[in-house]
Amino acid sequence: MFLQNAACWSVPGGARATPHLSTSLASALRSCDIAHAKAIQALGKFASCDVGDALVQIGLRHGGYLSGLKMYSPGSNGTVAKIFGPAYTVRMVPSADKTSPTPPCHFADAIPKGSVVFVSQPKGLISACWGGLMSTRAKKLGAAGVVIDGQFRDISEHQELNMGLFARGTSVLGSNTFTRSSELNVPVQYDNVEVDEKVTVTPGDYILGDQDGVVAIPVAHIEECVRLCQERYEIDQKTLEGLEAGEEMGSLIKKLRK
Amino acid sequence: MFLQNAACWSVPGGARATPHLSTSLASALRSCDIAHAKAIQALGKFASCDVGDALVQIGLRHGGYLSGLKMYSPGSNGTVAKIFGPAYTVRMVPSADKTSPTPPCHFADAIPKGSVVFVSQPKGLISACWGGLMSTRAKKLGAAGVVIDGQFRDISEHQELNMGLFARGTSVLGSNTFTRSSELNVPVQYDNVEVDEKVTVTPGDYILGDQDGVVAIPVAHIEECVRLCQERYEIDQKTLEGLEAGEEMGSLIKKLRK
Amino acid sequence: MFLQNAACWSVPGGARATPHLSTSLASALRSCDIAHAKAIQALGKFASCDVGDALVQIGLRHGGYLSGLKMYSPGSNGTVAKIFGPAYTVRMVPSADKTSPTPPCHFADAIPKGSVVFVSQPKGLISACWGGLMSTRAKKLGAAGVVIDGQFRDISEHQELNMGLFARGTSVLGSNTFTRSSELNVPVQYDNVEVDEKVTVTPGDYILGDQDGVVAIPVAHIEECVRLCQERYEIDQKTLEGLEAGEEMGSLIKKLRK
């Protein structure tokens, strides 16, 4: 279901379905597979700030940054918290919309293990489209986190579940009379309102969120993103050491960032 | 002063003032009285989310939800906090407004015991209209909480007083040169800006606020609201049990919500 | 570098450079110096609310209040936190702006000891212009705090450094491709958007920020501001005592505020 954009990740399934495949190609695919899995694992260790900068360098206008989302759970208790996983997207429509598709099942029952649930709510509403019962189900299915492009409710319940949850805001109102789910795992648009930019979140894009914010990482860029993050991380570590030793920011940047 | 809309609550006073009243009517009123008091007590045990949903079901467009208020005190320390009580309203006007009425006393001296102080501030200002000294007085008079449709100040003082306080925002500026109180216990309008809806908060409306938000419950709807909250609470509990046992959200909703 | 507006503070340097100065004038300047230093020390003990009110009384439209800044660090852990010091200003421009001046050194290397770094970022962006490495350098140089008229990033790093930091918002994106520093220690404009007021922050203005907000205090007003703060503080203390003893707010105001 995920990762349909990831050349070296989507093929192995095909490979397993094709026993005639030459041994050398199969092994090449397998090693590609492993490299990709390692890249994903490495990616999850970086901060949203590292990743955003790397994606800007790669050429994404705002580095996949989804501006305006706040971490509401597990809460601002000082501990470092992060969500990371491939996006499982849910497109909501107004309840009054009777023509848009209806999903084959409740959207909370189709959450893939390890995924970040990404719910896109129509704008201009003050109702929620996610709540405590949803997080209970998501936890049961092994979700890695939740991002609500809109409002959610039952703050304390998500915190009790220790579910990583980001949203634009809160509400007391359930979705019932206001919105309904329409399509699952389709590309959705996230609006960076301040800069009039629509970021497409494609199912399988990796979502990484921490205290500073949320970024969406297209699968095609994962390897390059990790390489740049690693490179910059080392520079930042050396800069930090230099600063702690009393060196000047200006000369450290000149020396290290080249 | 409160509850003038509550048929079975406002009459007993009249009853006591009318000794000619037949014994059976008096006793009917008394039992109505008790039922109403019980409903209020029950109402206070629900969450803002339960109440909002019930009022939507009853027919209020956004369920009495007052969007855009944040709980600033007693603070986000993880403990569950709630305010609940009948609204005592204060209408503020710009200080420059010399024609609007002047209240008979300082608005903080007229706070009824057990009430939620609801202050309506003119919009487009960056000053506060509530502060630490006000909460000190409100606490002394037994206020159940404070809602500021506008800005307040002295955050830490309200937290030290353990006064439940919701507001749109904060400021460092006192009201002095910016606003003054005008009318006490008159209906005020709360603007749900995002959906262009003005919610009237009438003195005596019950105000319930918790981490998720604030709702205003018209007295006439209390009994029905409690009935619906109770009904839904039981469904939600069964849904939760089902989810924790690994059942599907879709089938639980089909089975329980009918 | 600082305090060029403070008549009785800027002259002594000149005095020391002018040995011909009559002894009596020199000693007058010295005692003026001491009075000013005492006033600054006293000022730092008041809350942003005290100072804002005093500056309104002095005639500043909104009392030097910079609306819309939030304290992000050291964080809302319940402890009282405050920043106080003369402003060291940094004017940022869009990276694409090639004509605006370039600073003689990295802006983080020119932070004067005891100053509050005040960074003015162009509006309409979703990138940050301050991060953890900057706070590391600022701490090393003895900065008293940081105010970002814009976005910053690396929330947890500032909290770990225990650096007082206020900003309009957060971001995951570094400044690199979005903004660059242009001028250091020049007057910058802060926009109180809601009331369409531009407040000029001049280098050397004292910046005081706490949980309630941030105010900029022009050096010329420090003595008068302290006098008014002290006066009002005493009234507020007496009001508080009266309220705690059960007195009415109305009669206390009549009695004490005259």
Side-chain angles (χ1 to χ4, degrees):
Chain A
M1 187 175 264
F2 285 135
L3 299 164
Q4 55 269 54
N5 295 330
C8 84
W9 181 269
S10 59
V11 177
R16 279 190 289 275
T18 316
H20 311 293
L21 204 73
S22 77
T23 316
S24 67
L25 176 53
S27 107
L29 286 169
R30 216 168 300 121
S31 76
C32 170
D33 223 28
I34 293 166
H36 189 78
K38 275 192 179 166
I40 289 168
Q41 201 182 16
L43 185 62
K45 295 193 172 147
F46 291 103
S48 61
C49 295
D50 301 323
V51 171
D53 281 359
L55 292 176
V56 165
Q57 235 181 305
I58 286 171
L60 278 71
R61 189 174 153 211
H62 286 102
Y65 174 41
L66 308 178
S67 176
L69 292 167
K70 190 185 153 187
M71 184 170 72
Y72 282 96
S73 168
S76 56
N77 52 4
T79 64
V80 178
K82 186 196 274 186
I83 64 170
F84 178 65
Y88 158 68
T89 65
V90 179
R91 195 170 77 86
M92 296 275 177
V93 295
S95 290
D97 174 347
K98 303 295 181 198
T99 56
S100 290
T102 300
C105 66
H106 193 285
F107 68 92
D109 290 326
I111 301 171
K113 188 166 191 238
S115 69
V116 169
V117 184
F118 191 99
V119 184
S120 176
Q121 186 183 21
K123 296 303 163 288
L125 301 175
I126 57 170
S127 52
C129 65
W130 186 270
L133 292 174
M134 308 291 188
S135 271
T136 304
R137 181 69 178 140
K139 199 87 190 177
K140 202 80 189 176
L141 292 173
V146 177
V147 175
I148 306 297
D149 177 7
Q151 293 83 238
F152 79 107
R153 64 175 188 173
D154 308 323
I155 301 188
S156 62
E157 297 180 27
H158 311 283
Q159 291 173 345
E160 279 159 30
L161 286 163
N162 200 33
M163 173 62 88
L165 186 149
F166 296 72
R168 287 196 188 258
T170 64
S171 174
V172 310
L173 302 173
S175 57
N176 253 5
T177 48
F178 303 102
T179 53
R180 64 173 182 87
S181 63
S182 173
E183 291 174 284
L184 311 183
N185 261 336
V186 292
V188 292
Q189 304 287 318
Y190 186 93
D191 198 356
N192 278 337
V193 188
E194 307 90 333
V195 292
D196 197 23
E197 177 197 36
K198 298 214 189 297
V199 178
T200 301
V201 176
T202 304
D205 280 359
Y206 270 75
I207 304 293
L208 190 152
D210 55 26
Q211 258 198 307
D212 285 299
V214 178
V215 283
I217 308 136
V219 170
H221 295 313
I222 289 178
E223 266 94 352
E224 178 66 356
C225 181
V226 166
R227 199 185 61 73
L228 290 168
C229 282
Q230 190 60 44
E231 198 174 286
R232 181 55 183 269
Y233 179 80
E234 281 156 23
I235 291 171
D236 280 356
Q237 278 308 106
K238 281 179 193 157
T239 308
L240 182 61
E241 283 162 28
L243 291 174
E244 282 171 349
E247 286 185 64
E248 287 198 342
M249 181 71 91
S251 56
L252 281 164
I253 288 178
K254 205 172 288 175
K255 187 167 72 182
L256 297 167
R257 294 201 195 166
K258 279 152 203 173
Chain B
M1 188 174 264
F2 285 135
L3 300 164
Q4 55 269 56
N5 294 330
C8 84
W9 182 269
S10 59
V11 177
R16 279 189 289 275
T18 316
H20 311 293
L21 203 73
S22 78
T23 316
S24 67
L25 176 53
S27 107
L29 286 169
R30 215 168 300 122
S31 76
C32 170
D33 222 29
I34 293 166
H36 189 78
K38 275 192 179 166
I40 289 168
Q41 201 181 15
L43 185 62
K45 296 196 171 144
F46 291 104
S48 61
C49 295
D50 301 323
V51 171
D53 281 359
L55 292 176
V56 165
Q57 236 180 305
I58 286 171
L60 278 71
R61 188 174 154 211
H62 287 102
Y65 175 41
L66 308 178
S67 176
L69 292 166
K70 190 184 152 186
M71 185 170 72
Y72 282 96
S73 168
S76 56
N77 52 3
T79 65
V80 178
K82 187 196 274 186
I83 65 170
F84 178 65
Y88 158 68
T89 65
V90 178
R91 195 170 76 87
M92 296 276 177
V93 295
S95 291
D97 174 347
K98 303 295 181 199
T99 55
S100 289
T102 300
C105 66
H106 193 284
F107 68 92
D109 290 326
I111 301 171
K113 187 165 192 242
S115 69
V116 169
V117 184
F118 192 100
V119 184
S120 176
Q121 186 183 21
K123 296 302 164 287
L125 301 176
I126 58 170
S127 52
C129 65
W130 186 269
L133 292 174
M134 308 291 188
S135 271
T136 304
R137 181 70 178 138
K139 199 87 191 178
K140 202 79 188 177
L141 292 173
V146 176
V147 175
I148 306 297
D149 177 8
Q151 294 83 238
F152 79 107
R153 63 176 188 172
D154 308 323
I155 301 188
S156 62
E157 296 180 28
H158 311 283
Q159 292 173 344
E160 278 159 30
L161 286 163
N162 201 33
M163 173 62 88
L165 187 149
F166 296 73
R168 288 196 187 258
T170 64
S171 175
V172 310
L173 302 174
S175 57
N176 253 5
T177 48
F178 303 102
T179 53
R180 64 172 182 87
S181 63
S182 173
E183 291 174 285
L184 311 184
N185 260 338
V186 292
V188 292
Q189 305 287 319
Y190 186 94
D191 198 356
N192 278 336
V193 188
E194 307 89 333
V195 292
D196 197 23
E197 178 197 36
K198 298 214 188 298
V199 179
T200 301
V201 176
T202 304
D205 280 358
Y206 270 75
I207 304 293
L208 190 151
D210 56 25
Q211 257 199 307
D212 285 299
V214 178
V215 284
I217 309 136
V219 170
H221 296 313
I222 288 178
E223 267 94 351
E224 179 66 356
C225 181
V226 166
R227 199 186 61 72
L228 290 168
C229 282
Q230 190 60 44
E231 198 175 286
R232 180 56 183 269
Y233 179 80
E234 281 157 23
I235 291 171
D236 280 356
Q237 278 308 104
K238 282 179 193 157
T239 308
L240 182 60
E241 282 162 28
L243 291 174
E244 282 171 348
E247 286 185 65
E248 287 197 342
M249 181 71 91
S251 55
L252 281 164
I253 289 177
K254 205 171 287 174
K255 188 168 72 182
L256 296 167
R257 294 201 196 166
K258 278 152 203 171
Chain C
M1 188 175 262
F2 285 136
L3 300 164
Q4 55 268 56
N5 294 330
C8 83
W9 181 269
S10 59
V11 177
R16 279 189 290 275
T18 316
H20 311 293
L21 204 73
S22 77
T23 316
S24 67
L25 177 53
S27 107
L29 286 169
R30 216 168 300 121
S31 77
C32 169
D33 223 28
I34 292 166
H36 189 78
K38 275 192 179 166
I40 289 168
Q41 202 182 14
L43 185 62
K45 295 194 172 147
F46 291 104
S48 62
C49 295
D50 302 323
V51 171
D53 281 359
L55 292 176
V56 165
Q57 235 180 305
I58 286 171
L60 278 71
R61 188 174 154 211
H62 286 102
Y65 174 41
L66 308 178
S67 175
L69 292 167
K70 190 185 153 187
M71 185 170 72
Y72 282 96
S73 169
S76 55
N77 52 4
T79 64
V80 178
K82 187 196 274 186
I83 65 171
F84 178 65
Y88 158 68
T89 65
V90 179
R91 195 170 76 86
M92 296 275 177
V93 295
S95 291
D97 174 347
K98 303 295 181 199
T99 55
S100 290
T102 300
C105 65
H106 193 284
F107 68 92
D109 290 325
I111 301 170
K113 188 165 192 240
S115 69
V116 169
V117 184
F118 192 99
V119 184
S120 176
Q121 186 183 21
K123 296 302 164 288
L125 301 176
I126 57 170
S127 52
C129 66
W130 185 270
L133 292 174
M134 308 292 188
S135 271
T136 304
R137 181 69 179 140
K139 199 88 191 177
K140 202 80 189 175
L141 292 172
V146 176
V147 175
I148 306 297
D149 177 8
Q151 293 84 237
F152 79 107
R153 63 176 189 172
D154 308 323
I155 300 187
S156 62
E157 296 180 27
H158 311 283
Q159 292 173 345
E160 279 158 29
L161 286 163
N162 200 32
M163 172 62 88
L165 187 149
F166 296 72
R168 287 197 188 257
T170 64
S171 174
V172 310
L173 301 174
S175 57
N176 252 4
T177 48
F178 303 102
T179 53
R180 64 172 181 87
S181 63
S182 173
E183 291 174 285
L184 311 184
N185 260 337
V186 292
V188 292
Q189 305 287 319
Y190 186 93
D191 197 356
N192 278 337
V193 188
E194 307 89 332
V195 291
D196 197 23
E197 178 197 36
K198 298 212 189 298
V199 179
T200 301
V201 176
T202 304
D205 280 358
Y206 271 74
I207 304 292
L208 190 152
D210 56 25
Q211 258 198 306
D212 286 299
V214 178
V215 283
I217 308 136
V219 170
H221 295 313
I222 288 178
E223 267 94 352
E224 178 67 356
C225 181
V226 166
R227 200 186 60 73
L228 290 168
C229 282
Q230 190 60 44
E231 198 174 287
R232 180 56 183 269
Y233 179 80
E234 281 156 24
I235 291 171
D236 281 356
Q237 278 308 105
K238 281 178 194 157
T239 308
L240 182 60
E241 283 162 28
L243 291 174
E244 282 171 349
E247 286 185 65
E248 287 198 344
M249 181 72 91
S251 55
L252 282 165
I253 288 178
K254 206 172 287 174
K255 188 168 72 183
L256 296 167
R257 293 201 197 166
K258 279 152 203 172

